[in-house]
Amino acid sequence: MSDFVNETIESVHKALVQKEFSVTELTQRALDFTEKRDQDLNAFITLDKDGAIKQAEEIDNKGIDDDNILAGIPMGMKDNIVTKGLLTTSASKILSNFTPIYDATVVEKLKAQGVVILGKTNLDEFAMGGSTETSYYGVTKNAWDNTKVPGGSSGGSAASVASGEVLYSLGSDTGGSIRQPAAYNGIVGLKPTYGRVSRWGLIAFGSSLDQIGPLTRTVKDNALVLNAIAGVDNKDTTSANLEVPDYTKNIENGVANLRIAVPKEFLAEGIDPEVKNTINLAIEQFKSLGAIVEEVSIPHTKYGIAAYYILGSSEASSNLQRFDGVRYGFSDRTGKTLEEMYQNTRTEGFGEEVKRRIMLGTFALSAGFYDAYFKKAAQVRTILINDFNKIFENFDIIIGPTAPTPAFALGSENADPKTMYMNDVLTIPVNLAGLPGLSINAGFSSEHLPIGLQIIGKAFDEATVYKAAFAFERATQLFKQIPGGQK
Amino acid sequence: MAYANFITTIGLEVHVEMKTNSKLLSPSPVNFGDAANNNTNVIDWGYPGVLPQANKGALEYGMMAALALNMEITRDIRWDRKNYIYPDNPKSYQTTQQATPIGQNGKVEITLEDGTTKTIRIKEIHVEEDAGKNTHGGDGYSYVDLNRQGTPLIEIVSEPDITSPDEAYAYLEKLRQLIQFTGISDVKMQEGSLRADANISIRPAGSDQFGTKVELKNINSFSYLRTALAFEEDRQARELIAGNTIQQETRRYDEATKSTILMRVKEGADDYRYFPEPDLPVVHISEEWINEVKNKLPESVSDRLNRYINDFDLSPTDAGVLTQTLIMSDFYDKTVGFGADPKRSANYLIGDVNAFLNENGLELQDTKITPEHLSTLIKLIDDGTISTKQAKQVFTALTQGQEPKDYVEKNGLVQESRVEILQPIIAEIVDNNEQSVIDFKAGKDRAVGFLIGQIMKQTHGNANPNVVNQILIDELNER
């Protein structure tokens, strides 16, 4: 075994417990493969060879209990999640020399499980983008086709799992940044309910929208990782003080009589016919598994993108003000005045897309424009939440495509940011409403690119989302398809 | 002096630092005077990935202040971000309560020097975080100390009801007193735990349009602020009379010239791009919580005042003096608590103790006088152990931290009340003053006074005057 494309967390765990190989051997193999594969893929910004081996050796010394499922499993951490003593850049020049002195809560939790962090995965700068092309550290390629984007912003996290470099990764999702790259790479990605997973240590983009979540090859693996990272955290007072169920417990219960809503807006104009076709087949699949599927309407879907880009950018414009070159990170000290240091540092330190959003957000919050932009967007958000609530009075989950198209060609959408923004049309409403959303591979395009099915659940009902995804996965067995990588 | 044909309008923004254990949004300790940046952590530094944790205690303190100022408590508190970039502000925004200030629509009654009273309305009070401190070194570098960063503040904003520098002064004194009695702050201007910014405008009498506001900042005492406002009132009037216009500007006070000096001219409004803080949930303040906080509130100024008048039979003036500061009032209550007579305790504090403080330029808390010692001293006088004259000497010892009973014993200060000791002394003095006996028999009372004077002289003032009087009258009657 050189890569993990035919493996799952469960299967590797079994092998580790049975001592077929040590964690150190496993980690070394993963590092060797990743180093080779990443020459083309570029899924990682930092490969922590020494750190990973050290962690592996420690776990080998301690031994692995049967129920310690994540122990010794190599994983990739999105590089906007801070890791103590390990470079954390958020794919930006402005943090290109930033080594945190503390761990994010999710990192702490995974370290307690004996995790092996292989390295830090690539992303769009500050998670702003849908293709991982805005990274200061170069583009990541799609695991299925190296002429295509991996999606974004968690492109590195998705590609590293799909290519078999790691068994799972963590990403973050503000407007689709876990689900869309999961869809483009044919894997499972979950954005949990807002408040399910602590954001402490996640470098903020849009604080009211950001959530950390797992990317995995299979649904059950995904549930296993969520089990490990979910829960209230007193360091994040927006995290929910609710009990976390064992997400694997009822995962195999099937979808008989599950009430599924399909919003007609999710399959309307602008959705690629191949995507539409694949999702329609998925709907038939669910029906054949005993689910009750009905068409519904979320009439305000079309306002989601506008509201999102105002709210997310407004929050980002404030969150990113702290990068001033004073206390950490890149600093240009050639200027003579404080003002010049701020300007030079930020002009050089931020890329174009980040600057665009800072300007957009700053404008939307400015005196005289606040009511017309920020306030209006906040109202749209409330309306969308009501739309979802109404549907969930009668349905258990909502399904549709994750993205309007399969992965697009590298460089093809850079010219017009608005085209790029449209890719998030189906994922954004879920962030605005704070709901859990999962993407799972539902089939392939004529170019053999994966097409994602999105499953949206009620707030804090990830269990039902997983149950539906598992039933679909069991019926389709699509996770057994392996990417070729080279075109 | 103000010009009669202009009306002055003054607004005051008072910032009070609260004495919570930890900061508003991080667990770092709040403490004045520690080594630079010792009381800081990743949250205070605005590190990437950190999140704020709102201090419930700071909200309660804010509620206490709001209740003390007769305000309505806002039930759903949302935090807001006020955005600006400066090195003393590492997150580049201040967390505040722009949209939902914790207290609204308050009022206080001020009393001016001529005894007239006036109600000043308070617009709002909000809880927010303080910034750090920048210092500019002689080595070409500037230094940032973030110890103060995140210290909980309340900002108290007045309605434009204040119409003279004297009213502004009285308002500030009143605020300081009311806040002090809640115990949430030391309200010390010299340590920066109370800071006052003012804005002042004048308009011609009869005009209903406010004039252009001038802001006064960085003023470090109430009396400087009063002088600065008076100067500004005058300056603006002269500008207007000369046909000039008032610029929207910020000025500071110059102590040497007792005048205000231009700091900067304002060009348009600052744009702080306020918006709801997404990292903190909305806090709901329930009726129960308000009641809980009300129960935690220490006795207010007016309750103490009434108690002193009703229970201790003090005059309103004396009660007023004793409730001017929390420390004086607490000291008084403790002195009485140790068993001293309430009226005599009041007289002692208002008289001898205040005189001592004034003479030495001290605050009560900086002296070695304790309520227990003062109480003992008063009891020693009342039970006749020492004379009032001796009491003066004992009080001096008290200010040096000595226990009164010990001091009295060590120095033989016990008042002489024993008849067997006093009788022979008095008899001898009467023997030596035959003329006085004749005068006494003739009904001349001053003879008694003369003889008592002689006896006191002989006993170095240590004789108990009551006992002396009794023995002397008996002695004279026997002759």
Side-chain angles (χ1 to χ4, degrees), chain A residues 36-155:
Chain A
K36 203 169 96 233
R37 183 72 178 87
D38 239 29
Q39 286 169 6
D40 177 48
L41 194 68
N42 194 35
F44 282 85
I45 290 174
T46 305
L47 207 54
D48 185 22
K49 290 192 229 170
D50 295 345
I53 290 295
K54 204 172 143 241
Q55 290 170 65
E57 285 169 350
E58 276 171 25
I59 299 155
D60 276 332
N61 288 338
K62 256 193 264 169
I64 295 174
D65 292 340
D66 196 25
D67 56 356
N68 200 0
I69 189 95
L70 294 183
I73 307 288
M75 62 85 64
M77 189 70 73
K78 191 175 179 180
D79 207 23
N80 61 350
I81 297 170
V82 302
T83 41
K84 189 174 173 177
L86 182 58
L87 186 72
T88 300
T89 69
S90 222
S92 180
K93 183 180 179 183
I94 212 156
L95 285 177
S96 53
N97 58 359
F98 176 63
T99 303
I101 59 165
Y102 76 102
D103 273 328
T105 295
V106 291
V107 174
E108 245 173 37
K109 286 190 165 198
L110 289 178
K111 279 185 176 172
Q113 302 272 323
V115 71
V116 174
I117 299 172
L118 214 61
K120 304 299 290 287
T121 57
N122 201 9
L123 64 148
D124 283 293
E125 184 181 2
F126 283 105
M128 295 175 186
S131 65
T132 315
E133 290 172 299
T134 70
S135 168
Y136 177 63
Y137 295 91
V139 297
T140 296
K141 309 225 173 113
N142 190 294
W144 295 76
D145 179 343
N146 65 0
T147 67
K148 298 290 193 288
V149 300
S153 64
S154 310

Side-chain angles (χ1 to χ4, degrees), chain B residues 21 69 89 99 149 193 199 239 353 355 390 402 422 436 443-444:
Chain B
N21 294 326
L69 303 179
N89 171 33
Q149 153 65 32
S193 61
N199 59 68
E239 290 284 348
V353 173
Q390 288 170 330
Q402 300 194 54
L422 291 173
S436 294
K444 288 179 183 165

Side-chain angles (χ1 to χ4, degrees), chain B residues 5-121:
Chain B
N5 45 349
F6 288 105
I7 295 168
T8 301
T9 305
I10 294 167
L12 289 168
E13 281 180 13
V14 176
H15 285 93
V16 175
E17 259 181 13
M18 300 194 278
K19 280 197 297 190
T20 48
N21 294 326
S22 58
K23 293 186 178 181
L24 181 63
L25 303 168
S26 94
S28 295
V30 169
N31 201 25
F32 180 80
D34 287 344
N37 294 308
N38 259 22
N39 301 335
T40 59
N41 67 11
V42 284
I43 300 175
D44 310 312
W45 305 338
Y47 234 54
V50 300
L51 295 168
Q53 298 143 36
N55 181 343
K56 199 180 153 200
L59 264 188
E60 286 199 353
Y61 275 15
M63 281 161 77
M64 284 183 170
L67 291 169
L69 303 179
N70 306 299
M71 307 186 92
E72 295 157 18
I73 303 291
T74 306
R75 291 314 185 83
D76 289 298
I77 303 289
R78 178 190 102 184
W79 299 92
D80 297 295
R81 289 188 186 178
K82 176 183 179 176
N83 294 287
Y84 67 95
I85 299 186
Y86 204 60
D88 66 5
N89 171 33
K91 291 177 300 181
S92 294
Y93 54 83
Q94 179 194 32
T95 306
T96 182
Q97 296 172 341
Q98 154 80 359
T100 54
I102 193 156
Q104 300 179 72
N105 304 323
K107 57 177 193 288
V108 293
E109 194 174 67
I110 58 166
T111 307
L112 300 170
E113 271 170 28
D114 63 4
T116 54
T117 60
K118 181 174 177 178
T119 300
I120 307 293
R121 291 171 303 148

Side-chain angles (χ1 to χ4, degrees), chain A residues 97-308:
Chain A
N97 58 359
F98 176 63
T99 303
I101 59 165
Y102 76 102
D103 273 328
T105 295
V106 291
V107 174
E108 245 173 37
K109 286 190 165 198
L110 289 178
K111 279 185 176 172
Q113 302 272 323
V115 71
V116 174
I117 299 172
L118 214 61
K120 304 299 290 287
T121 57
N122 201 9
L123 64 148
D124 283 293
E125 184 181 2
F126 283 105
M128 295 175 186
S131 65
T132 315
E133 290 172 299
T134 70
S135 168
Y136 177 63
Y137 295 91
V139 297
T140 296
K141 309 225 173 113
N142 190 294
W144 295 76
D145 179 343
N146 65 0
T147 67
K148 298 290 193 288
V149 300
S153 64
S154 310
S157 295
S160 65
V161 173
S163 65
E165 292 179 336
V166 288
L167 280 152
Y168 72 99
S169 63
L170 292 191
S172 68
D173 190 318
T174 308
S177 281
I178 290 173
R179 291 158 288 160
Q180 184 252 31
Y184 285 5
N185 285 282
I187 59 169
V188 179
L190 174 88
K191 181 204 88 77
T193 310
Y194 187 80
R196 180 87 287 182
V197 177
S198 170
R199 292 184 294 119
W200 174 262
L202 171 64
I203 297 175
F205 160 13
S207 311
S208 73
L209 303 155
D210 298 341
Q211 266 296 287
I212 295 171
L215 295 98
T216 55
R217 183 161 301 282
T218 67
V219 176
K220 204 161 181 187
D221 277 2
N222 206 283
L224 287 169
V225 179
L226 185 63
N227 276 350
I229 62 170
V232 67
D233 176 15
N234 61 17
K235 293 199 190 85
D236 174 5
T237 54
T238 64
S239 66
N241 192 6
L242 293 171
E243 209 180 309
V244 180
D246 174 358
Y247 290 111
T248 61
K249 200 175 167 203
N250 297 315
I251 203 164
E252 297 179 10
N253 282 6
V255 292
N257 295 320
L258 194 77
R259 298 165 305 169
I260 299 177
V262 181
K264 60 181 182 206
E265 292 82 3
F266 284 19
L267 290 165
E269 230 178 296
I271 309 296
D272 181 285
E274 286 189 330
V275 171
K276 227 184 266 189
N277 193 33
T278 303
I279 299 307
N280 280 327
L281 287 172
I283 291 167
E284 292 311 312
Q285 182 70 257
F286 274 111
K287 283 183 187 166
S288 73
L289 292 168
I292 303 152
V293 185
E294 278 176 47
E295 189 183 88
V296 297
S297 174
I298 303 181
H300 302 99
T301 303
K302 61 182 175 215
Y303 301 115
I305 287 197
Y308 168 83

Side-chain angles (χ1 to χ4, degrees), chain B residues 331 335 338 368-380 394 397-405:
Chain B
F331 199 100
T335 305
F338 281 114
K368 290 177 174 169
I369 310 170
T370 68
E372 193 174 7
H373 288 176
L374 185 64
S375 180
T376 307
L377 171 63
I378 290 167
K379 281 186 284 184
L380 287 172
V394 180
L398 224 68
T399 63
Q400 290 153 3
Q402 300 194 54
E403 207 284 320
K405 266 188 183 156

